Amino acid sequence: MNSIIEMRYFKYLLITFTSFSPVLVHAQQADSLLTLQQCVDIAVKNNLDVKKSGLLAQSGKIDYNQAKEYLLPTVNAQVDHGINNGRNINPFTNTYVNQSLTYGNYSLNGNLTLFSGLQNLNRIKQTALAYEAGKMDFQQAKDLVTINVITAYLLVLDNTELLAQARKQLAVSKQQVDRLEILEKKGANKQPSDLYDLKGTYGDNQLALVNAISTLEASKLNLLQILNIPYRKGITLAPVDAQNLTKQTDASSESIYSTALQQLALVKASTLRRQSAEKAVKVAKGALFPTVSLFGGLYTNYSSAAQRSVFTDSSTVNTGQFVNTASGQQPVLARQANFDNRSIGYYDQFKNNYSTQVGVSVRIPILNYFQNRNKVAQAKVDLENYKNIEENTRIKLRQDVEQAYLNMESAYNRYNALVEQVKAYAESFRIAEIRFNAGVLTSVDYVLAKNYLDRANLNLINARYDCYIYNKILDYYQGRLSF
């Protein structure tokens, strides 16, 4: 009976796995092909520097909110309960007693700053600018990751084309080796060295293919490490538009730099931090002025020693005095009220001891270790530092734009020259192959013609992707990075 149940269980398990296997295979196939947009999205999501910049931006927002909330009044409540033993002051009568008593003090205080050298207003402006700078840093981190992904992505595509070219070279060499081996068997090979020359070239092409495969996998590994995902050997990338690879920008270096000053997040961040530092100087100077504030409070208290006299009854007592009457002297009698001391209840004390306070406070800084003046001096030093950072950012940006623009021009000049070179070597190799097959060209000359064409094709592939990469870098400087 148990064996039948187990067989049914495995049967259902097999059916379930079979039904879901097409879905799993499809998911693996879909996941093995990545587009440039997907790679950028994954990298931005997984990159720790981007996450760190995002958290710093959130921290800046909290600082900004806190600066605004400094304009609100402060309200605090305080409750003190305790037991005193021995000689102490009765909080109800303010007299000394020698007994154990329980006491409680209650207060509600409020304070509103009316003037403090405009520190609060300047602090709001300071933190607002710092928050905006943090958002620019966040955008800059995403832009840098995007540039790195595009470069690594194109390197994989570049190496993919180089691998395809290596396979073509190997196929041409294999075709010639097979042809010469047939001629060698038939005894029709005019130069025995031709076969071995081509076998050597075939071996070089095999080695080139191995190197191309290794280089391609290394570039895939580099890309996946930038994406912060595990390495998968079978991953493939969607190609980019071939027309965009050789589309040259028509903007000048100076116009690109001018646009970068207005659009680039890195420049905006440095400017905002300098402006924030200027407000920080004003905040520090505000501490040199008097602080005027409005305060108020509600107070009450309780003491177990608090007592009150309560009337209980009355009695007739002899005053010790006498009066003369017709019947003689008679004692003078008087009515006396009798009182009993009783503890005052908690609620009665809480209600009856109620008091209020309201007033205006002026705090004038006179001498406190010169802290305020030193804070002003430190804020000015920080401001100069941020000015230098802003200026250095602009200088470095100009240098980077000029270098990238020069690289772009050189890449396009090299690409155009290689296009003509490939055309020339392709025709030269076509003629050399015809002559070699006809037996009127030596294997040495054939191999040279083939090597020239192979090298030119490889250089052309590299130059085409260089053009695209440098164009993307210039797009980044203009704040219009897209793909």
Side-chain angles (χ1 to χ4, degrees):
M1 183 67 179
N2 292 335
S3 61
I4 296 175
I5 295 175
E6 291 179 357
M7 290 180 63
R8 288 181 177 177
Y9 170 76
F10 285 113
K11 178 181 178 181
Y12 291 138
L13 182 63
L14 179 61
I15 293 174
T16 303
F17 177 77
T18 305
S19 63
F20 278 102
S21 58
V23 179
L24 296 175
V25 172
H26 176 73
Q28 292 176 352
Q29 291 177 347
D31 190 47
S32 63
L33 177 64
L34 291 176
T35 64
L36 181 54
Q37 179 66 64
Q38 288 175 328
C39 289
V40 170
D41 294 340
I42 293 173
V44 170
K45 180 181 178 181
N46 294 342
N47 187 266
L48 295 181
D49 289 335
V50 174
K51 292 182 179 180
K52 180 181 178 181
S53 297
L55 292 175
L56 291 176
Q58 293 180 21
S59 178
K61 184 178 181 180
I62 294 174
D63 291 339
Y64 172 55
N65 290 335
Q66 182 61 69
K68 292 189 295 183
E69 289 160 359
Y70 278 133
L71 297 176
L72 299 175
T74 60
V75 179
N76 297 286
Q78 183 173 342
V79 177
D80 296 328
H81 265 277
I83 300 175
N84 286 342
N85 293 306
R87 182 178 172 82
N88 51 75
I89 295 178
N90 181 353
F92 185 76
T93 61
N94 273 339
T95 59
Y96 282 100
V97 295
N98 192 7
Q99 69 181 74
S100 176
L101 60 86
T102 302
Y103 69 90
N105 295 317
Y106 312 91
S107 62
L108 179 65
N109 297 285
N111 188 285
L112 175 63
T113 300
L114 302 178
F115 177 79
S116 60
L118 302 180
Q119 287 187 86
N120 289 338
L121 295 179
N122 286 320
R123 187 178 287 111
I124 292 174
K125 297 176 182 178
Q126 175 197 355
T127 53
L129 292 167
Y131 172 46
E132 292 299 322
K135 291 196 293 185
M136 291 298 102
D137 288 337
F138 180 52
Q139 182 61 46
Q140 171 69 9
K142 292 192 292 184
D143 289 345
L144 288 179
V145 170
T146 302
I147 282 290
N148 290 335
V149 170
I150 291 176
T151 303
Y153 190 97
L154 292 176
L155 182 60
V156 174
L157 295 184
D158 186 9
N159 290 328
T160 302
E161 284 201 31
L162 294 177
L163 176 59
Q165 183 63 30
R167 295 186 191 278
K168 291 180 182 179
Q169 296 170 3
L170 183 64
V172 173
S173 297
K174 182 66 167 57
Q175 183 181 4
Q176 287 293 349
V177 168
D178 292 343
R179 187 181 69 84
L180 291 177
E181 285 181 342
I182 294 174
L183 293 177
E184 185 71 21
K185 290 178 181 180
K186 293 180 178 181
N189 193 3
K190 295 182 179 181
Q191 296 290 337
S193 61
D194 289 348
L195 175 60
Y196 297 102
D197 288 340
L198 266 296
K199 281 187 175 181
T201 301
Y202 180 66
D204 289 339
N205 293 149
Q206 285 181 315
L207 180 60
L209 179 63
V210 172
N211 292 335
I213 293 175
S214 177
T215 303
L216 174 60
E217 293 305 318
S219 62
K220 287 182 179 180
L221 175 61
N222 178 58
L223 174 61
L224 295 180
Q225 287 178 344
I226 294 176
L227 302 184
N228 199 15
I229 60 177
Y231 170 70
R232 299 193 301 274
K233 189 173 182 180
I235 193 171
T236 57
L237 303 181
V240 298
D241 188 359
Q243 296 296 326
N244 290 329
L245 292 178
T246 56
K247 183 179 179 182
Q248 185 174 6
T249 181
D250 54 356
S252 65
S253 174
E254 187 63 33
S255 65
I256 293 176
Y257 171 69
S258 299
T259 303
L261 290 178
Q262 304 296 326
Q263 301 294 332
L264 198 62
L266 178 64
V267 179
K268 291 181 179 180
S270 65
T271 301
L272 288 168
R273 294 201 184 281
R274 186 260 303 164
Q275 294 173 347
S276 177
E278 291 174 347
K279 298 301 179 182
V281 173
K282 294 184 178 181
V283 172
K285 288 182 177 179
L288 300 175
F289 292 86
T291 300
V292 181
S293 58
L294 178 67
F295 66 89
L298 303 175
Y299 308 93
T300 187
N301 57 59
Y302 161 79
S303 173
S304 62
Q307 295 181 342
R308 62 182 175 184
S309 297
V310 179
F311 174 79
T312 55
D313 56 13
S314 62
S315 60
T316 303
V317 296
N318 190 338
T319 64
Q321 297 178 353
F322 295 89
V323 295
N324 294 321
T325 63
S327 59
Q329 288 186 338
Q330 297 292 329
V332 177
L333 301 178
R335 300 291 296 179
Q336 177 178 304
N338 296 323
F339 294 89
D340 187 15
N341 290 331
R342 298 182 182 179
S343 297
I344 302 176
Y346 179 88
Y347 176 75
D348 290 337
Q349 291 192 51
F350 190 89
K351 179 178 63 175
N352 296 332
N353 295 339
Y354 169 79
S355 65
T356 61
Q357 181 187 33
V358 65
V360 176
S361 171
V362 179
R363 184 178 62 84
I364 303 174
I366 298 176
L367 181 64
N368 50 9
Y369 315 109
F370 295 100
Q371 293 182 80
N372 293 336
R373 294 192 179 278
N374 287 329
K375 288 179 180 179
V376 173
Q378 185 61 55
K380 289 181 178 179
V381 172
D382 293 340
L383 174 58
E384 291 301 318
N385 181 48
Y386 281 113
K387 286 182 178 179
N388 292 335
I389 292 175
E390 181 184 18
E391 183 63 24
N392 183 67
T393 301
R394 292 170 178 266
I395 293 173
K396 186 68 168 55
L397 175 62
R398 178 182 286 277
Q399 294 173 349
D400 291 343
V401 169
E402 291 173 347
Q403 184 63 56
Y405 193 85
L406 180 62
N407 291 340
M408 183 270 296
E409 287 188 326
S410 298
Y412 275 103
N413 292 335
R414 182 167 173 265
Y415 171 78
N416 293 327
L418 285 170
V419 169
E420 298 301 321
Q421 186 183 62
V422 168
K423 290 180 181 178
Y425 279 138
E427 182 62 19
S428 175
F429 176 72
R430 186 186 68 82
I431 296 173
E433 189 173 35
I434 294 174
R435 296 182 64 194
F436 180 70
N437 292 338
V440 296
L441 187 70
T442 64
S443 58
V444 175
D445 293 331
Y446 173 81
V447 169
L448 285 176
K450 182 178 182 300
N451 288 340
Y452 287 149
L453 177 60
D454 292 343
R455 185 170 63 250
N457 278 322
L458 296 177
N459 291 336
L460 180 62
I461 293 172
N462 287 328
R464 186 164 66 250
Y465 281 97
D466 285 346
C467 292
Y468 189 77
I469 290 175
Y470 290 130
N471 254 326
K472 285 301 170 186
I473 292 175
L474 293 178
D475 286 344
Y476 157 70
Y477 286 130
Q478 297 175 84
R480 59 182 190 188
L481 191 59
S482 60
F483 35 85

